[in-house]
Amino acid sequence: MYQTRVLSVQDISCFGKCSLTVALPIISAMGAETCIIPTAILSTHTGGFTGYTWRDLTEDIPKIASHWKSLDLSFDALCTGYLGSLEQIGMVKDLFDAFGGKAIKFIDPVMGDNGKLYPGFTPAFAAEMAKLCGTADVIVPNMTEASYMLGIDYQAGPYEEDDIKEILVKLTALGCHVAAMTGVVLTSAPQRQGVIAYDSRTDSFCSYFSENLPVKFHGTGDIYASTMCGALALGRGLEASLKIAVDYTVACIKQSMGDDEHPYGVRFEECIPTLVELLKA
């Protein structure tokens, strides 16, 4: 019996619930075989921790890819998260060329939030990430990442819906088929937060919103991206995938609210049964 196979390319933060330590269990729980290429190993994620260790794995990426080519491996989806250098962006392009085929090429252009790039990232990196996004089928930036890739001024929310739609159209002009803006709060409904997506192939928009919870947790973007990619790889449509990813992310946040022992991430593990039920709907 055929099993969907997904490749996730991003770092391993050994403690802190983000990147591969959420992508691997979440996509696996969705029923897909999940393969990984780690781009780096960190002792913790970089949000709120100091003194963390970092081991760059850039030189291992082409070696892994070469071995896989010899095995004639193929994938239903290739997804990327945090990439640590311009060289790694180039290597992801090579992975897309080598294993893209009929696979969904899904990019979370992890670079920044709240109008600022994360430490170590530059406008030059954002420009190269924009080129990589142009080779993708689906990209899921937040407003900060979209602004840097398009070279436009960042504006904090809430937003007018037409303004978001205009930016999404510009993002697909980079070359990707679908752009989905995450973390959107509209002026018409500030009590809601969600995602708006544009499919350039059908010239159509879709969206899904849930509660705008008054908290912030590290790793929720990775949880959203992993879930959406997994849903798409399993054959769910764009609109259904948005809903599954938003609902699961919100469930994880609710499960973690008031938990002072885990400020570094959400208790997504306890919500895996919810994810399984969402997939059945």
Side-chain angles (χ1 to χ4, degrees):
M1 183 180 296
Y2 182 78
Q3 185 178 19
T4 299
R5 180 184 289 160
V6 176
L7 168 62
S8 182
V9 184
Q10 51 189 315
D11 70 279
I12 298 174
S13 291
C14 298
F15 181 82
K17 302 188 183 185
C18 69
S19 43
L20 281 178
T21 58
V22 300
L24 179 55
I26 286 173
I27 300 173
S28 296
M30 297 175 80
E33 178 182 0
T34 312
C35 306
I36 64 170
I37 293 183
T39 58
I41 298 178
L42 291 79
S43 55
T44 68
H45 65 59
T46 60
F49 293 104
T50 58
Y52 49 83
T53 65
W54 172 290
R55 180 176 292 277
D56 183 24
L57 299 179
T58 300
E59 67 178 25
D60 293 289
I61 296 174
K63 297 175 184 178
I64 294 170
S66 178
H67 183 215
W68 285 0
K69 285 297 290 183
S70 74
L71 300 175
D72 198 27
L73 294 185
S74 62
F75 301 92
D76 296 286
L78 311 174
C79 59
T80 73
Y82 185 99
L83 301 176
S85 66
L86 295 174
E87 188 176 5
Q88 288 186 355
I89 290 178
M91 289 179 177
V92 168
K93 290 179 182 177
D94 293 339
L95 289 171
F96 282 0
D97 290 339
F99 300 103
K102 297 181 180 179
I104 298 168
K105 296 181 285 293
F106 184 103
I107 295 177
D108 181 6
V110 180
M111 293 185 292
D113 202 1
N114 299 315
K116 296 181 180 179
L117 293 173
Y118 295 138
F121 290 113
T122 65
F125 183 93
E128 287 303 307
M129 179 62 77
K131 294 177 184 177
L132 179 63
C133 284
T135 69
D137 295 302
V138 181
I139 65 172
V140 289
N142 59 30
M143 180 58 79
T144 300
E145 292 152 353
S147 298
Y148 271 94
M149 287 195 295
L150 293 175
I152 61 177
D153 291 337
Y154 168 80
Q155 299 292 329
Y159 304 100
E160 296 295 329
E161 185 172 355
D162 287 346
D163 292 340
I164 297 295
K165 289 181 174 180
E166 181 180 348
I167 290 173
L168 290 172
V169 172
K170 290 179 179 178
L171 285 168
T172 59
L174 295 173
C176 58
H177 295 148
V178 174
M181 181 79 74
T182 62
V184 175
V185 178
L186 298 176
T187 54
S188 58
Q191 75 281 8
R192 311 286 285 175
Q193 183 174 166
V195 182
I196 301 178
Y198 174 66
D199 189 334
S200 64
R201 296 166 297 187
T202 58
D203 190 27
S204 61
F205 294 91
C206 64
S207 62
Y208 184 76
F209 287 81
S210 186
E211 300 171 64
N212 185 15
L213 300 171
V215 290
K216 295 286 186 182
F217 285 101
H218 296 291
T220 53
D222 295 339
I223 289 169
Y224 175 86
S226 298
T227 308
M228 181 178 171
C229 181
L232 290 170
L234 290 167
R236 303 304 195 273
L238 178 59
E239 194 164 2
S241 297
L242 295 184
K243 183 180 187 304
I244 292 167
V246 169
D247 283 345
Y248 178 57
T249 304
V250 169
C252 294
I253 293 172
K254 285 184 173 181
Q255 185 71 12
S256 309
M257 292 174 66
D259 178 7
D260 295 332
E261 293 184 6
H262 300 83
Y264 49 81
V266 296
R267 299 165 66 155
F268 74 92
E269 305 92 337
E270 297 171 352
C271 297
I272 291 293
T274 298
L275 175 58
V276 174
E277 289 302 313
L278 288 169
L279 288 168
K280 295 178 180 178

